Amino acid sequence: MNTVARRRTFRKGLRDGLSLQSPWPLAIAVASVLAVAIRLVYINLPLSADEGGFAEVARLWRNGSTLYDGAWADRPQGLLLVFRGVLSIHDSELALRAAAIIVSVVLLVVFAGLARRLVGRRAALIAVFLLATAGASPFIEAYTLSGELLASAFSVGSLFAFVVYLERRHAALILLAGLLTGSAVMVKQSGFDAGVAALAYLLWTERRAALRPVLMLLAGALVAPVLCAVSAPDFGAWWHAVVAYRFEGDSLFRGGVGYRLMLFFNGLRSAALALAVPLVLLPGGWRIAPKLLKLWFVASLIGVLGGGNFWAHYWIQIAPPLCLIAALRLAELLRQRELRRPLRVAPVLAAAVVSVAVSTVPLAGGTERRVEAFTPGDTVRLYDEEIAAYVRTHTSPNDRILVTPLAGGSIYFLADRLPAYRFLWYRPAMATPGAVEELQRVVAERRASLVVVLADPSVLDPSGRTTALLKRGYRVVRRVGPTAILAPA
């Protein structure tokens, strides 16, 4: 089929999909309210280590620390600019959660426009409600202001611009698609999914004729990364933090196979509980999904797997394409009236019941039960508020504190105290040459007015030197749950 015929087929599909009559704006409004309501239920759950850490880095950057040095993070400036912007409006944890809700609504509205053009109105309506519910699940930490949530908004916008480009062939649209893809990558490095899908689709379907749009797509995609690179205070430090660190220290190909498999199955559990309904519908939807949608799903899955850590919030990235593919299958079942057959409908109903049950049962048990259910590996966050309160009342605003073994960005943020050590996360400190020795100097010189020990420091420093220095120079002054707070001896 030549290019002209493909365009005619594409436009005919759009007209067929848009001919179905339904209260489209009302449906989007209802889905948005539903997505907001689900997130409001979990808005008071403790800040994640990433939320608190990025908020603290943004605050340090705002107050004059050099980005990727005194204010160190392994994320591009796009994500940190979002956090900085949110905190400039209201410097609080509630502001971060409110921003996550706003982003989720923007994502849903843009997704609705993309879905209607890509799969037709009936399947689009189903996809929108799937994303509003399954995509808001606490099991993938959808209530947090994560890089994956922010990058998904840009990625969906990028693919939306690309689909409209396929219809109208305006150069500005392909440039916009590239610009949004580059912006997604500068929010979270795995946000390349829409751009890769568009690039592969052009090369696959248009071959030699794809040269011009491919070059324009790539040109647009380079804008944001180039701006971030040239605006960085130190290009070498930026390159190490944003690009090289993932390959050198913390990726799928680093660390033991057993460790990565453990992380994978933990993450897969979260994804299965959150996205059970669309996952059950995926095989049937894959058979009838358009090529572009399949490419998008595969690219998003590569983004999730490439990081190698498989944290729960990583799976947010696959939710939009997965919900679209699942919606195609459910729309097909409705159209053929196959939902009357028990064998067809039973898996979907079972997945829906499981998803609702596992998400709502913990609500009766309070915050502790919710954290244990949704983020079982992060229960130490339950004590962050109490620890931060103690730190605030026993230090002055200019004092520095240390949280070890480095998973306490939220404590720095909540306590509003400066870190005595520039690394706020465990994995970057392990992967950066000289970082453990720097920590030993911080402890030996007693630069921290208080030390919050979340776990055994030997996890970060197997030599035992940091542990010995803490015992020699500090004493326990308070215990909060499993956490010990130390002051200079």
Side-chain angles (χ1 to χ4, degrees):
M1 185 183 294
N2 59 34
T3 303
V4 174
R6 276 196 298 270
R7 291 180 191 174
R8 289 173 180 169
T9 303
F10 180 81
R11 290 169 182 167
K12 182 179 184 299
L14 288 181
R15 287 195 297 270
D16 293 343
L18 298 176
S19 65
L20 296 170
Q21 298 301 313
S22 63
W24 183 249
L26 178 61
I28 297 174
V30 171
S32 298
V33 170
L34 189 58
V36 170
I38 294 172
R39 286 176 170 86
L40 283 174
V41 173
Y42 308 105
I43 196 171
N44 290 323
L45 288 182
L47 288 178
S48 69
D50 279 357
E51 274 183 307
F54 296 138
E56 179 60 21
V57 171
R59 184 188 278 170
L60 290 169
W61 185 23
R62 180 189 65 192
N63 294 338
S65 294
T66 303
L67 196 58
Y68 304 115
D69 185 15
W72 197 95
D74 63 331
R75 294 291 188 272
Q77 294 97 312
L79 177 65
L80 301 173
L81 280 171
V82 171
F83 274 81
R84 187 169 172 174
V86 172
L87 296 179
S88 69
I89 298 172
H90 197 273
D91 199 331
S92 70
E93 61 270 33
L94 187 60
L96 299 176
R97 293 292 164 80
I101 290 175
I102 293 170
V103 172
S104 70
V105 173
V106 172
L107 168 62
L108 194 65
V109 172
V110 178
F111 174 78
L114 169 63
R116 191 170 66 172
R117 283 168 170 78
L118 198 56
V119 298
R121 183 172 294 193
R122 177 179 293 178
L125 282 171
I126 296 171
V128 166
F129 278 94
L130 283 175
L131 187 63
T133 51
S137 172
F139 284 102
I140 52 174
E141 301 177 20
Y143 54 87
T144 66
L145 186 61
S146 65
E148 287 74 17
L149 179 65
L150 291 163
S152 290
F154 283 103
S155 291
V156 171
S158 173
L159 205 67
F160 188 11
F162 179 70
V163 170
V164 178
Y165 164 79
L166 292 177
E167 178 189 0
R168 301 181 182 178
R169 295 291 168 166
H170 291 169
L173 290 169
I174 195 70
L175 286 171
L176 177 61
L179 180 63
L180 291 172
T181 282
S183 300
V185 173
M186 287 298 99
V187 169
K188 179 65 167 65
Q189 293 94 320
S190 61
F192 54 75
D193 48 304
V196 168
L199 185 65
Y201 182 82
L202 286 171
L203 293 173
W204 194 338
T205 59
E206 301 191 4
R207 302 185 185 279
R208 293 183 180 179
L211 179 61
R212 183 170 177 270
V214 162
L215 291 176
M216 296 178 71
L217 180 69
L218 292 174
L222 285 173
V223 172
V226 168
L227 285 176
C228 287
V230 300
S231 65
D234 183 325
F235 176 76
W238 177 86
W239 182 265
H240 168 74
V242 176
V243 182
Y245 159 69
R246 280 293 164 189
F247 294 98
E248 296 172 358
D250 194 19
S251 70
L252 181 63
F253 306 104
R254 305 288 295 186
V257 175
Y259 174 67
R260 293 297 172 188
L261 285 174
M262 178 196 71
L263 291 175
F264 173 73
F265 285 113
N266 286 341
L268 193 61
R269 167 193 172 273
S270 299
L273 291 172
L275 305 171
V277 173
L279 284 172
V280 167
L281 293 164
L282 174 63
W286 186 266
R287 175 176 50 82
I288 56 176
K291 187 177 297 181
L292 178 59
L293 182 49
K294 292 179 180 178
L295 290 170
W296 185 25
F297 178 77
V298 171
S300 68
L301 193 58
I302 292 172
V304 172
L305 299 178
N309 291 318
F310 314 110
W311 304 126
H313 52 273
Y314 281 18
W315 301 93
I316 291 173
Q317 189 169 335
I318 71 167
L322 174 63
C323 289
L324 274 173
I325 296 173
L328 283 170
R329 175 56 178 160
L330 193 52
E332 181 185 53
L333 292 174
L334 289 169
R335 184 172 60 254
Q336 298 176 357
R337 298 184 179 182
E338 292 189 18
L339 289 180
R340 297 177 181 178
R341 302 179 183 180
L343 291 179
R344 298 277 188 178
V345 74
V348 181
L349 289 178
V353 169
V354 169
S355 293
V356 172
V358 298
S359 300
T360 56
V361 167
L363 296 181
T367 301
E368 183 173 355
R369 188 173 179 185
R370 295 180 204 179
V371 171
E372 290 174 349
F374 305 138
T375 55
D378 212 18
T379 53
V380 70
R381 299 276 77 86
L382 286 165
Y383 306 98
D384 283 355
E385 290 278 4
E386 187 177 349
I387 294 169
Y390 181 89
V391 170
R392 281 195 303 270
T393 56
H394 291 80
T395 58
S396 67
N398 292 324
D399 286 340
R400 293 179 179 270
I401 66 170
L402 172 65
V403 181
T404 184
L406 310 182
S410 51
I411 295 175
Y412 294 113
F413 176 73
L414 295 170
D416 195 13
R417 293 296 182 266
L418 295 170
Y421 182 58
R422 64 193 179 110
F423 292 101
L424 305 187
W425 290 271
Y426 159 76
R427 297 297 302 180
M430 287 292 292
T432 303
V436 173
E437 290 76 13
E438 183 181 338
L439 174 64
Q440 293 170 355
R441 289 193 297 273
V442 168
V443 176
E445 296 169 10
R446 302 188 192 183
R447 299 180 198 174
S449 299
L450 289 176
V451 177
V452 179
V453 182
L454 298 176
D456 188 347
S458 64
V459 173
L460 177 62
D461 182 6
S463 72
R465 178 164 169 73
T466 300
T467 302
L469 289 169
L470 284 170
K471 289 180 178 179
R472 186 186 311 162
Y474 288 83
R475 60 187 174 86
V476 177
V477 294
R478 179 71 181 271
R479 291 192 181 276
V480 180
T483 301
I485 303 178
L486 284 59

